[in-house]
Amino acid sequence: MTRISVNKCNAIIPFLSFHSSSSSRSFSAKAHINVDKEVNCLDDAVSLFHRMVRMNPLPSVIEFSKLFKTMINMKHYSAVVSLFREMRILGIPISDCILNIVTNSYCLRHRIDCAFSVLPIYLKIGIPFNVVTFNTLLGGLFAENKVTDAVVLFKKLVREKICEPNEVTYGTVMNGLSKRGHTEKTLSLLRIMEQGNTKPGVYTYSIVIDALCKDINLDAAINLLNEMKQKNIPPNIFTYNSLIDGFCKLGQWEKVKTLLSEMVNLNINPNVHTFSILIDGLCKEGKVEDANEVMRHMIEKGVEPDIITYSAIMDGYCLRGQVDRASRVFNVLRDKGIEPNIFSYSILINGYCKKKNLAKAMQLFGEISQKGLKPDTVTHSTILHGLIEVGRIGDAKKIFDEMLRVGPTPNICIHSTLLFGYFKYGLVEEAMLLFSKLERNREDTNIAFYTVVINGLCKNDKLREAHAIFEKLPSIGLIPDVRTYNVMISGFCREGLFDEVKGILRKMEDNGCPANNITYNFIMQGFLRSNKISEIVSFMKEMAGRGFSFDATTTGILINVSKENPSILDMIPDHS
């Protein structure tokens, strides 16, 4: 039997301890057990279990496995673990299948630490590890975003030959890596797999194709599709859906038509997901009428729209500002017995927020909990932004405080939205208190988050504090992007500090971050406000030479300045 050491990945994991004991069982003829018919709820499952453990002879381990699998399907993960503990206490024989089910129960509860604690039980009772065990553990690690631990475990399995990875093993790792943007590593693992004993099939190829499509690397995705065909590995519906989604996002509808024709020729019928992708792509381009036509076509083909399909149509109407029509679709799907999910609620809430109809948005937000759903961070971010836009910063703060009490845990988007609101309404002290707390707690931050803070300080006449934060960015491992530089340039321009502006421009050049049209407009606005005539003339020429032009704000300031100094209009180059 192969042993696996409890390494750093799970060293902190507490082992389960069980005590064997005997229990009296009633003697009876072997009863027939039909888990599918007898178990409709948790009480049924527990009752059947207690009846099973009193039987003599005991039901086979297969019957216990069937019961636990049914409970897993019913999402009673904790109950599975509790009944497994009873089995151990009663000394009832267990199998690798039961141990795998218990491991999976822990993983589904996001308790990978406890899942690893099942491994010593294998060793204690002499059951060899199998590939299913480690596929489950790998999936659990990725589910808890422990990518490094998952990769370490996978390498250990291969190097120490603990068990032979199968296609599911590779697929689990590749899927986990690709979902976190590690497309190159996913592709490399596919190439390694091609050289090993376990050859990739349509499942693993489809994972890589999906990752490439999400990276908008459609040429590489098509090349991999052709490679599959050359190896006589026929693509499936998942392969084509990924490709169609990629081309829809780019608006390459001729390519989409080609792929759909190819599917039909291979007797692969578009499913509800395929049609939903097409509908979403059309709606994103504002072609809601065409999207509705596709939905009519899918119904004619016997494919019923689901909540994702209807949500895409709703989003299409909201993007066109037709929230009332989106609301009608929302009501239609409820009439059809399709329960709205958190995504469909968020779409409609966002639509009403953009229309500044916060009464309706808040009504829907309150309805979510009444329907037994939980608002996620996207829903909260949407409603917070809507409240801030109409000046209801107090209500936004109440929702934020409620998140801190009952969840979900605010993320970087929520924090950025609230900070933006504080700064927008001059609540600098509140903003900086929150900012300092987040820094102390080392909360997840990025350059966009810091840009919100720097911009807020600049607009509230706190240029020195903004510049101090800007200067420390490299020391905390963050590289300013063009928006961060533009925010700082705008702040200096408002104060007429053009030497500092030149310094920022030099930094941009040194860091390979070229100035854009916004950069030049901010600087031109500063020159105009400060009446720097000579600088205005030379800068206009530079803008024209770089192909940049005045935006509406710069044009407005120019018109106001020209009223006092009409000659300035004669200085404008032809292409400005």
Side-chain angles (χ1 to χ4, degrees):
M1 179 180 68
T2 308
R3 288 180 171 268
I4 180 171
S5 62
V6 181
N7 60 17
K8 188 177 179 181
C9 168
N10 49 57
I12 61 169
I13 302 167
F15 288 158
L16 293 173
S17 59
F18 300 106
H19 304 282
S20 296
S21 66
S22 60
S23 176
S24 60
R25 301 189 185 101
S26 59
F27 287 84
S28 61
K30 192 167 184 177
H32 178 69
I33 297 167
N34 191 325
V35 174
D36 292 335
K37 287 186 177 179
E38 293 186 54
V39 177
N40 297 306
C41 63
L42 179 59
D43 286 344
D44 290 345
V46 174
S47 176
L48 177 59
F49 174 82
H50 286 135
R51 184 156 59 87
M52 289 168 68
V53 298
R54 288 195 300 270
M55 291 178 181
N56 196 340
L58 282 167
S60 72
V61 71
I62 295 172
E63 297 298 336
F64 283 103
S65 298
K66 283 181 183 176
L67 176 61
F68 285 177
K69 282 179 183 176
T70 300
M71 293 171 70
I72 286 276
N73 292 336
M74 296 165 69
K75 301 185 179 180
H76 295 305
Y77 313 130
S78 298
V80 169
V81 174
S82 296
L83 296 185
F84 170 72
R85 286 172 176 164
E86 281 196 48
M87 285 184 74
R88 294 282 289 151
I89 291 169
L90 295 170
I92 295 171
I94 56 177
S95 65
D96 58 346
C97 182
I98 286 179
L99 289 175
N100 286 334
I101 292 169
V102 174
T103 302
N104 193 32
S105 296
Y106 280 126
C107 289
L108 291 167
R109 288 174 58 202
H110 294 281
R111 288 302 308 271
I112 189 65
D113 52 346
C114 294
F116 271 102
S117 72
V118 178
L119 292 181
I121 301 174
Y122 281 88
L123 300 174
K124 185 176 179 181
I125 61 181
I127 295 176
F129 299 128
N130 60 38
V131 70
V132 177
T133 312
F134 291 106
N135 291 347
T136 304
L137 290 170
L138 286 166
L141 286 167
F142 279 116
E144 293 186 33
N145 208 30
K146 296 182 177 180
V147 180
T148 303
D149 288 345
V151 171
V152 167
L153 176 60
F154 175 71
K155 288 180 177 177
K156 187 179 184 71
L157 297 180
V158 176
R159 288 172 181 166
E160 298 184 15
K161 298 183 179 177
I162 294 166
C163 67
E164 181 71 27
N166 61 14
E167 190 178 4
V168 176
T169 318
Y170 280 100
T172 302
V173 177
M174 290 161 73
N175 194 44
L177 291 171
S178 68
K179 289 283 191 292
R180 287 153 187 85
H182 301 297
T183 304
E184 286 301 319
K185 290 180 181 177
T186 306
L187 182 57
S188 297
L189 194 53
L190 177 74
R191 298 310 182 199
I192 291 169
M193 194 178 175
E194 288 171 336
Q195 304 303 315
N197 296 327
T198 305
K199 300 299 180 186
V202 62
Y203 169 62
T204 39
Y205 273 106
S206 295
I207 289 170
V208 183
I209 285 173
D210 186 64
L212 291 167
C213 289
K214 283 184 169 55
D215 282 356
I216 319 297
N217 191 351
L218 276 301
D219 288 341
I222 290 293
N223 288 340
L224 202 55
L225 176 71
N226 292 332
E227 194 178 307
M228 286 175 67
K229 293 173 183 175
Q230 289 167 8
K231 293 178 179 178
N232 292 319
I233 301 171
N236 61 17
I237 186 70
F238 301 105
T239 322
Y240 280 107
N241 282 347
S242 295
L243 290 161
I244 288 168
D245 186 47
F247 284 113
C248 280
K249 283 183 168 63
L250 291 179
Q252 295 187 15
W253 297 102
E254 288 303 317
K255 294 268 190 179
V256 171
K257 288 177 185 176
T258 301
L259 287 166
L260 286 168
S261 298
E262 199 174 295
M263 284 174 67
V264 173
N265 290 336
L266 291 170
N267 292 319
I268 301 172
N269 293 319
N271 60 11
V272 64
H273 186 47
T274 318
F275 284 113
S276 296
I277 289 167
L278 295 170
I279 287 167
D280 185 58
L282 290 166
C283 286
K284 289 286 193 294
E285 292 190 3
K287 300 172 181 176
V288 187
E289 290 78 12
D290 291 342
N292 276 313
E293 190 60 39
V294 171
M295 188 156 75
R296 280 190 287 272
H297 177 73
M298 70 184 282
I299 294 169
E300 287 171 6
K301 293 289 183 183
V303 181
E304 281 299 312
D306 62 9
I307 185 63
I308 297 171
T309 321
Y310 283 110
S311 295
I313 295 283
M314 285 169 54
D315 193 39
Y317 281 127
C318 286
L319 288 170
R320 298 206 313 193
Q322 297 173 303
V323 187
D324 290 340
R325 295 195 70 173
S327 182
R328 285 202 289 273
V329 174
F330 187 78
N331 293 329
V332 164
L333 67 92
R334 288 204 281 200
D335 292 341
K336 288 178 175 287
I338 301 172
E339 282 301 315
N341 60 14
I342 195 63
F343 181 59
S344 49
Y345 269 105
S346 296
I347 288 169
L348 203 51
I349 288 169
N350 187 43
Y352 280 117
C353 284
K354 285 184 176 177
K355 285 288 185 180
K356 296 188 168 34
N357 187 346
L358 266 296
K360 191 65 179 173
M362 288 297 285
Q363 178 190 326
L364 286 165
F365 186 73
E367 188 182 299
I368 291 172
S369 299
Q370 295 169 11
K371 295 290 183 181
L373 298 170
K374 290 185 178 180
D376 59 12
T377 51
V378 175
T379 321
H380 278 92
S381 180
T382 301
I383 202 75
L384 283 174
H385 188 75
L387 289 167
I388 287 164
E389 282 297 304
V390 297
R392 292 169 60 177
I393 189 70
D395 289 333
K397 179 68 166 63
K398 286 177 185 175
I399 287 177
F400 178 75
D401 290 340
E402 187 180 351
M403 289 182 74
L404 295 177
R405 284 197 309 274
V406 299
T409 304
N411 60 11
I412 189 170
C413 183
I414 298 288
H415 289 137
S416 298
T417 301
L418 190 60
L419 283 168
F420 169 81
Y422 282 150
F423 283 122
K424 181 175 181 176
Y425 296 104
L427 303 173
V428 179
E429 188 176 341
E430 287 89 338
M432 293 311 291
L433 280 171
L434 176 58
F435 174 67
S436 299
K437 181 182 176 182
L438 295 173
E439 280 208 312
R440 280 196 310 274
N441 294 343
R442 297 187 177 182
E443 295 280 348
D444 184 34
T445 55
N446 58 21
I447 192 62
F449 169 83
Y450 274 90
T451 301
V452 169
V453 177
I454 293 167
N455 189 40
L457 288 168
C458 286
K459 289 186 174 178
N460 282 276
D461 301 321
K462 301 286 184 183
L463 185 60
R464 186 176 65 181
E465 291 88 339
H467 191 224
I469 292 172
F470 175 81
E471 287 295 321
K472 79 171 185 180
L473 290 175
S475 68
I476 58 176
L478 292 174
I479 300 170
D481 59 18
V482 68
R483 189 167 186 278
T484 319
Y485 284 118
N486 285 345
V487 161
M488 206 67 248
I489 284 171
S490 177
F492 283 132
C493 285
R494 276 197 294 269
E495 297 293 324
L497 301 171
F498 296 107
D499 287 340
E500 283 79 358
V501 171
K502 289 177 184 175
I504 297 288
L505 286 171
R506 281 194 296 272
K507 281 186 178 181
M508 290 179 78
E509 190 175 337
D510 293 342
N511 293 331
C513 182
N516 61 13
N517 196 59
I518 296 171
T519 319
Y520 276 83
N521 272 280
F522 278 155
I523 297 171
M524 179 55 72
Q525 291 163 24
F527 285 149
L528 287 167
R529 288 192 185 100
S530 301
N531 205 27
K532 300 276 187 180
I533 302 299
S534 59
E535 287 88 345
I536 289 170
V537 174
S538 62
F539 205 70
M540 281 181 180
K541 290 177 181 176
E542 186 176 339
M543 281 187 76
R546 290 177 179 264
F548 297 138
S549 57
F550 293 171
D551 61 20
T553 304
T554 309
T555 302
I557 297 169
L558 178 63
I559 290 168
N560 290 333
V561 171
S562 66
K563 289 176 183 175
E564 295 182 8
N565 187 0
S567 62
I568 199 169
L569 296 174
D570 297 328
M571 304 173 189
I572 301 174
D574 293 339
H575 301 292
S576 290

